[in-house]
PDB file of all heavy atoms in Angstrom:
ATOM      1  N   ALA A 237      23.645 -76.882 182.236  1.00 89.00           N
ATOM      2  CA  ALA A 237      23.404 -77.925 183.223  1.00 89.00           C
ATOM      3  C   ALA A 237      24.718 -78.496 183.735  1.00 89.00           C
ATOM      4  O   ALA A 237      24.855 -78.755 184.922  1.00 89.00           O
ATOM      5  CB  ALA A 237      22.555 -79.039 182.607  1.00 89.00           C
ATOM      6  N   LEU A 238      25.703 -78.669 182.825  1.00 87.00           N
ATOM      7  CA  LEU A 238      27.008 -79.190 183.257  1.00 87.00           C
ATOM      8  C   LEU A 238      27.665 -78.260 184.251  1.00 87.00           C
ATOM      9  O   LEU A 238      28.191 -78.714 185.271  1.00 87.00           O
ATOM     10  CB  LEU A 238      27.904 -79.385 182.028  1.00 87.00           C
ATOM     11  CG  LEU A 238      29.315 -79.837 182.321  1.00 87.00           C
ATOM     12  CD1 LEU A 238      29.342 -81.195 182.998  1.00 87.00           C
ATOM     13  CD2 LEU A 238      30.161 -79.883 181.040  1.00 87.00           C
ATOM     14  N   ASN A 239      27.661 -76.952 183.975  1.00 88.00           N
ATOM     15  CA  ASN A 239      28.274 -75.988 184.899  1.00 88.00           C
ATOM     16  C   ASN A 239      27.551 -76.003 186.230  1.00 88.00           C
ATOM     17  O   ASN A 239      28.181 -75.965 187.287  1.00 88.00           O
ATOM     18  CB  ASN A 239      28.207 -74.588 184.290  1.00 88.00           C
ATOM     19  CG  ASN A 239      29.134 -74.446 183.105  1.00 88.00           C
ATOM     20  OD1 ASN A 239      30.164 -75.098 183.036  1.00 88.00           O
ATOM     21  ND2 ASN A 239      28.770 -73.595 182.171  1.00 88.00           N
ATOM     22  N   ILE A 240      26.229 -76.087 186.203  1.00 92.00           N
ATOM     23  CA  ILE A 240      25.452 -76.115 187.460  1.00 92.00           C
ATOM     24  C   ILE A 240      25.806 -77.363 188.263  1.00 92.00           C
ATOM     25  O   ILE A 240      25.981 -77.309 189.479  1.00 92.00           O
ATOM     26  CB  ILE A 240      23.951 -76.067 187.140  1.00 92.00           C
ATOM     27  CG1 ILE A 240      23.580 -74.675 186.605  1.00 92.00           C
ATOM     28  CG2 ILE A 240      23.120 -76.376 188.387  1.00 92.00           C
ATOM     29  CD1 ILE A 240      22.181 -74.593 186.046  1.00 92.00           C
ATOM     30  N   ILE A 241      25.888 -78.512 187.589  1.00 93.00           N
ATOM     31  CA  ILE A 241      26.203 -79.762 188.276  1.00 93.00           C
ATOM     32  C   ILE A 241      27.567 -79.681 188.955  1.00 93.00           C
ATOM     33  O   ILE A 241      27.731 -80.057 190.123  1.00 93.00           O
ATOM     34  CB  ILE A 241      26.157 -80.939 187.286  1.00 93.00           C
ATOM     35  CG1 ILE A 241      24.719 -81.181 186.799  1.00 93.00           C
ATOM     36  CG2 ILE A 241      26.696 -82.217 187.936  1.00 93.00           C
ATOM     37  CD1 ILE A 241      24.633 -82.124 185.618  1.00 93.00           C
ATOM     38  N   LEU A 242      28.558 -79.168 188.242  1.00 91.00           N
ATOM     39  CA  LEU A 242      29.917 -79.081 188.799  1.00 91.00           C
ATOM     40  C   LEU A 242      29.953 -78.149 190.006  1.00 91.00           C
ATOM     41  O   LEU A 242      30.527 -78.498 191.050  1.00 91.00           O
ATOM     42  CB  LEU A 242      30.874 -78.583 187.735  1.00 91.00           C
ATOM     43  CG  LEU A 242      31.130 -79.544 186.547  1.00 91.00           C
ATOM     44  CD1 LEU A 242      32.028 -78.873 185.516  1.00 91.00           C
ATOM     45  CD2 LEU A 242      31.736 -80.849 187.016  1.00 91.00           C
ATOM     46  N   TYR A 243      29.332 -76.982 189.891  1.00 92.00           N
ATOM     47  CA  TYR A 243      29.338 -76.040 191.017  1.00 92.00           C
ATOM     48  C   TYR A 243      28.562 -76.586 192.220  1.00 92.00           C
ATOM     49  O   TYR A 243      28.977 -76.414 193.368  1.00 92.00           O
ATOM     50  CB  TYR A 243      28.766 -74.692 190.578  1.00 92.00           C
ATOM     51  CG  TYR A 243      29.690 -73.899 189.699  1.00 92.00           C
ATOM     52  CD1 TYR A 243      29.296 -73.472 188.431  1.00 92.00           C
ATOM     53  CD2 TYR A 243      30.959 -73.586 190.106  1.00 92.00           C
ATOM     54  CE1 TYR A 243      30.141 -72.753 187.612  1.00 92.00           C
ATOM     55  CE2 TYR A 243      31.845 -72.862 189.297  1.00 92.00           C
ATOM     56  CZ  TYR A 243      31.415 -72.466 188.052  1.00 92.00           C
ATOM     57  OH  TYR A 243      32.255 -71.748 187.239  1.00 92.00           O
ATOM     58  N   CYS A 244      27.432 -77.245 191.962  1.00 93.00           N
ATOM     59  CA  CYS A 244      26.645 -77.805 193.069  1.00 93.00           C
ATOM     60  C   CYS A 244      27.362 -78.963 193.744  1.00 93.00           C
ATOM     61  O   CYS A 244      27.249 -79.160 194.954  1.00 93.00           O
ATOM     62  CB  CYS A 244      25.280 -78.251 192.550  1.00 93.00           C
ATOM     63  SG  CYS A 244      24.151 -76.897 192.176  1.00 93.00           S
ATOM     64  N   GLU A 245      28.094 -79.753 192.972  1.00 92.00           N
ATOM     65  CA  GLU A 245      28.873 -80.842 193.570  1.00 92.00           C
ATOM     66  C   GLU A 245      29.989 -80.276 194.467  1.00 92.00           C
ATOM     67  O   GLU A 245      30.283 -80.846 195.540  1.00 92.00           O
ATOM     68  CB  GLU A 245      29.475 -81.726 192.479  1.00 92.00           C
ATOM     69  CG  GLU A 245      28.455 -82.557 191.706  1.00 92.00           C
ATOM     70  CD  GLU A 245      28.029 -83.809 192.473  1.00 92.00           C
ATOM     71  OE1 GLU A 245      28.639 -84.105 193.520  1.00 92.00           O
ATOM     72  OE2 GLU A 245      27.100 -84.481 192.010  1.00 92.00           O
ATOM     73  N   LEU A 246      30.606 -79.181 194.045  1.00 93.00           N
ATOM     74  CA  LEU A 246      31.611 -78.522 194.894  1.00 93.00           C
ATOM     75  C   LEU A 246      30.948 -77.978 196.160  1.00 93.00           C
ATOM     76  O   LEU A 246      31.527 -78.071 197.254  1.00 93.00           O
ATOM     77  CB  LEU A 246      32.288 -77.406 194.120  1.00 93.00           C
ATOM     78  CG  LEU A 246      33.263 -77.837 193.024  1.00 93.00           C
ATOM     79  CD1 LEU A 246      33.763 -76.653 192.235  1.00 93.00           C
ATOM     80  CD2 LEU A 246      34.449 -78.593 193.641  1.00 93.00           C
ATOM     81  N   LEU A 247      29.757 -77.379 196.017  1.00 93.00           N
ATOM     82  CA  LEU A 247      28.999 -76.923 197.199  1.00 93.00           C
ATOM     83  C   LEU A 247      28.712 -78.087 198.126  1.00 93.00           C
ATOM     84  O   LEU A 247      28.859 -77.950 199.363  1.00 93.00           O
ATOM     85  CB  LEU A 247      27.713 -76.261 196.738  1.00 93.00           C
ATOM     86  CG  LEU A 247      26.708 -75.915 197.865  1.00 93.00           C
ATOM     87  CD1 LEU A 247      27.279 -74.859 198.797  1.00 93.00           C
ATOM     88  CD2 LEU A 247      25.367 -75.464 197.267  1.00 93.00           C
ATOM     89  N   ALA A 248      28.331 -79.215 197.563  1.00 93.00           N
ATOM     90  CA  ALA A 248      28.039 -80.413 198.410  1.00 93.00           C
ATOM     91  C   ALA A 248      29.267 -80.838 199.170  1.00 93.00           C
ATOM     92  O   ALA A 248      29.162 -81.225 200.335  1.00 93.00           O
ATOM     93  CB  ALA A 248      27.533 -81.527 197.507  1.00 93.00           C
ATOM     94  N   ALA A 249      30.441 -80.804 198.550  1.00 91.00           N
ATOM     95  CA  ALA A 249      31.665 -81.188 199.246  1.00 91.00           C
ATOM     96  C   ALA A 249      31.940 -80.249 200.409  1.00 91.00           C
ATOM     97  O   ALA A 249      32.310 -80.697 201.505  1.00 91.00           O
ATOM     98  CB  ALA A 249      32.844 -81.185 198.268  1.00 91.00           C
ATOM     99  N   LEU A 250      31.760 -78.946 200.214  1.00 92.00           N
ATOM    100  CA  LEU A 250      31.982 -77.997 201.306  1.00 92.00           C
ATOM    101  C   LEU A 250      31.008 -78.199 202.440  1.00 92.00           C
ATOM    102  O   LEU A 250      31.391 -78.158 203.622  1.00 92.00           O
ATOM    103  CB  LEU A 250      31.855 -76.569 200.748  1.00 92.00           C
ATOM    104  CG  LEU A 250      32.924 -76.120 199.743  1.00 92.00           C
ATOM    105  CD1 LEU A 250      32.600 -74.716 199.208  1.00 92.00           C
ATOM    106  CD2 LEU A 250      34.305 -76.117 200.405  1.00 92.00           C
ATOM    107  N   VAL A 251      29.742 -78.437 202.101  1.00 92.00           N
ATOM    108  CA  VAL A 251      28.741 -78.672 203.142  1.00 92.00           C
ATOM    109  C   VAL A 251      29.043 -79.951 203.915  1.00 92.00           C
ATOM    110  O   VAL A 251      28.933 -80.005 205.137  1.00 92.00           O
ATOM    111  CB  VAL A 251      27.321 -78.762 202.524  1.00 92.00           C
ATOM    112  CG1 VAL A 251      26.293 -79.192 203.559  1.00 92.00           C
ATOM    113  CG2 VAL A 251      26.935 -77.386 201.946  1.00 92.00           C
ATOM    114  N   GLN A 252      29.484 -80.991 203.198  1.00 89.00           N
ATOM    115  CA  GLN A 252      29.803 -82.242 203.879  1.00 89.00           C
ATOM    116  C   GLN A 252      30.967 -82.070 204.851  1.00 89.00           C
ATOM    117  O   GLN A 252      30.910 -82.575 205.977  1.00 89.00           O
ATOM    118  CB  GLN A 252      30.138 -83.313 202.841  1.00 89.00           C
ATOM    119  CG  GLN A 252      30.378 -84.680 203.432  1.00 89.00           C
ATOM    120  CD  GLN A 252      30.620 -85.737 202.380  1.00 89.00           C
ATOM    121  OE1 GLN A 252      30.213 -85.577 201.227  1.00 89.00           O
ATOM    122  NE2 GLN A 252      31.310 -86.821 202.750  1.00 89.00           N
ATOM    123  N   PHE A 253      32.015 -81.354 204.423  1.00 87.00           N
ATOM    124  CA  PHE A 253      33.128 -81.084 205.321  1.00 87.00           C
ATOM    125  C   PHE A 253      32.682 -80.285 206.534  1.00 87.00           C
ATOM    126  O   PHE A 253      33.145 -80.522 207.666  1.00 87.00           O
ATOM    127  CB  PHE A 253      34.241 -80.358 204.580  1.00 87.00           C
ATOM    128  CG  PHE A 253      35.075 -81.249 203.717  1.00 87.00           C
ATOM    129  CD1 PHE A 253      35.301 -80.930 202.378  1.00 87.00           C
ATOM    130  CD2 PHE A 253      35.634 -82.416 204.203  1.00 87.00           C
ATOM    131  CE1 PHE A 253      36.058 -81.749 201.573  1.00 87.00           C
ATOM    132  CE2 PHE A 253      36.413 -83.237 203.403  1.00 87.00           C
ATOM    133  CZ  PHE A 253      36.617 -82.907 202.072  1.00 87.00           C
ATOM    134  N   MET A 254      31.780 -79.341 206.334  1.00 88.00           N
ATOM    135  CA  MET A 254      31.295 -78.535 207.452  1.00 88.00           C
ATOM    136  C   MET A 254      30.536 -79.400 208.459  1.00 88.00           C
ATOM    137  O   MET A 254      30.745 -79.267 209.669  1.00 88.00           O
ATOM    138  CB  MET A 254      30.379 -77.412 206.928  1.00 88.00           C
ATOM    139  CG  MET A 254      29.848 -76.513 208.029  1.00 88.00           C
ATOM    140  SD  MET A 254      28.625 -75.325 207.401  1.00 88.00           S
ATOM    141  CE  MET A 254      27.257 -76.433 207.032  1.00 88.00           C
ATOM    142  N   VAL A 255      29.684 -80.277 207.963  1.00 87.00           N
ATOM    143  CA  VAL A 255      28.908 -81.144 208.869  1.00 87.00           C
ATOM    144  C   VAL A 255      29.847 -82.078 209.625  1.00 87.00           C
ATOM    145  O   VAL A 255      29.690 -82.272 210.847  1.00 87.00           O
ATOM    146  CB  VAL A 255      27.881 -81.969 208.052  1.00 87.00           C
ATOM    147  CG1 VAL A 255      27.182 -82.976 208.944  1.00 87.00           C
ATOM    148  CG2 VAL A 255      26.854 -81.039 207.412  1.00 87.00           C
ATOM    149  N   LEU A 256      30.849 -82.651 208.955  1.00 82.00           N
ATOM    150  CA  LEU A 256      31.737 -83.586 209.616  1.00 82.00           C
ATOM    151  C   LEU A 256      32.634 -82.911 210.637  1.00 82.00           C
ATOM    152  O   LEU A 256      33.107 -83.573 211.579  1.00 82.00           O
ATOM    153  CB  LEU A 256      32.592 -84.319 208.575  1.00 82.00           C
ATOM    154  CG  LEU A 256      31.837 -85.198 207.570  1.00 82.00           C
ATOM    155  CD1 LEU A 256      32.816 -85.829 206.601  1.00 82.00           C
ATOM    156  CD2 LEU A 256      31.017 -86.248 208.286  1.00 82.00           C
ATOM    157  N   SER A 257      32.895 -81.636 210.445  1.00 83.00           N
ATOM    158  CA  SER A 257      33.778 -80.930 211.400  1.00 83.00           C
ATOM    159  C   SER A 257      33.084 -80.460 212.649  1.00 83.00           C
ATOM    160  O   SER A 257      33.742 -80.091 213.625  1.00 83.00           O
ATOM    161  CB  SER A 257      34.415 -79.711 210.691  1.00 83.00           C
ATOM    162  OG  SER A 257      33.421 -78.761 210.343  1.00 83.00           O
ATOM    163  N   LEU A 258      31.754 -80.474 212.653  1.00 84.00           N
ATOM    164  CA  LEU A 258      31.010 -80.000 213.831  1.00 84.00           C
ATOM    165  C   LEU A 258      30.819 -81.129 214.831  1.00 84.00           C
ATOM    166  O   LEU A 258      30.675 -82.308 214.452  1.00 84.00           O
ATOM    167  CB  LEU A 258      29.635 -79.478 213.393  1.00 84.00           C
ATOM    168  CG  LEU A 258      29.636 -78.197 212.561  1.00 84.00           C
ATOM    169  CD1 LEU A 258      28.216 -77.875 212.105  1.00 84.00           C
ATOM    170  CD2 LEU A 258      30.211 -77.031 213.372  1.00 84.00           C
ATOM    171  N   PRO A 259      30.795 -80.814 216.132  1.00 83.00           N
ATOM    172  CA  PRO A 259      30.536 -81.851 217.141  1.00 83.00           C
ATOM    173  C   PRO A 259      29.047 -82.161 217.235  1.00 83.00           C
ATOM    174  O   PRO A 259      28.190 -81.425 216.728  1.00 83.00           O
ATOM    175  CB  PRO A 259      31.059 -81.187 218.430  1.00 83.00           C
ATOM    176  CG  PRO A 259      30.820 -79.717 218.208  1.00 83.00           C
ATOM    177  CD  PRO A 259      31.070 -79.495 216.746  1.00 83.00           C
ATOM    178  N   GLN A 260      28.748 -83.253 217.902  1.00 79.00           N
ATOM    179  CA  GLN A 260      27.376 -83.550 218.203  1.00 79.00           C
ATOM    180  C   GLN A 260      26.870 -82.581 219.287  1.00 79.00           C
ATOM    181  O   GLN A 260      27.646 -82.154 220.125  1.00 79.00           O
ATOM    182  CB  GLN A 260      27.223 -84.994 218.706  1.00 79.00           C
ATOM    183  CG  GLN A 260      27.442 -86.055 217.657  1.00 79.00           C
ATOM    184  CD  GLN A 260      26.263 -86.147 216.679  1.00 79.00           C
ATOM    185  OE1 GLN A 260      25.326 -85.357 216.714  1.00 79.00           O
ATOM    186  NE2 GLN A 260      26.340 -87.143 215.796  1.00 79.00           N
ATOM    187  N   PRO A 261      25.607 -82.156 219.268  1.00 83.00           N
ATOM    188  CA  PRO A 261      24.523 -82.626 218.413  1.00 83.00           C
ATOM    189  C   PRO A 261      24.367 -81.812 217.132  1.00 83.00           C
ATOM    190  O   PRO A 261      23.408 -82.028 216.388  1.00 83.00           O
ATOM    191  CB  PRO A 261      23.309 -82.447 219.316  1.00 83.00           C
ATOM    192  CG  PRO A 261      23.621 -81.222 220.103  1.00 83.00           C
ATOM    193  CD  PRO A 261      25.106 -81.257 220.348  1.00 83.00           C
ATOM    194  N   TRP A 262      25.284 -80.850 216.874  1.00 87.00           N
ATOM    195  CA  TRP A 262      25.128 -79.997 215.703  1.00 87.00           C
ATOM    196  C   TRP A 262      25.230 -80.757 214.398  1.00 87.00           C
ATOM    197  O   TRP A 262      24.474 -80.482 213.446  1.00 87.00           O
ATOM    198  CB  TRP A 262      26.158 -78.871 215.757  1.00 87.00           C
ATOM    199  CG  TRP A 262      26.080 -78.060 217.023  1.00 87.00           C
ATOM    200  CD1 TRP A 262      26.991 -78.059 218.036  1.00 87.00           C
ATOM    201  CD2 TRP A 262      25.013 -77.195 217.407  1.00 87.00           C
ATOM    202  NE1 TRP A 262      26.562 -77.218 219.052  1.00 87.00           N
ATOM    203  CE2 TRP A 262      25.357 -76.671 218.686  1.00 87.00           C
ATOM    204  CE3 TRP A 262      23.833 -76.797 216.829  1.00 87.00           C
ATOM    205  CZ2 TRP A 262      24.540 -75.787 219.370  1.00 87.00           C
ATOM    206  CZ3 TRP A 262      22.999 -75.896 217.516  1.00 87.00           C
ATOM    207  CH2 TRP A 262      23.372 -75.407 218.763  1.00 87.00           C
TER     208      TRP A 262
END
C-alpha cells in the first residue's frame, strides 16, 4: 500500500502539471 500511495501521488503531480500547462478550455 505504501508503494502504491507513493507512485500514485507522483502520478497525481504529473497530471496536475499537465492540466495547469494546458490553455482553456482544455
Side-chain angles (χ1 to χ4, degrees):
L238 176 62
N239 291 330
I240 290 171
I241 293 168
L242 293 176
Y243 286 123
C244 287
E245 290 280 352
L246 288 174
L247 171 65
L250 293 176
V251 172
Q252 184 177 337
F253 282 128
M254 181 186 70
V255 174
L256 296 180
S257 64
L258 292 175
Q260 290 286 7
W262 303 110

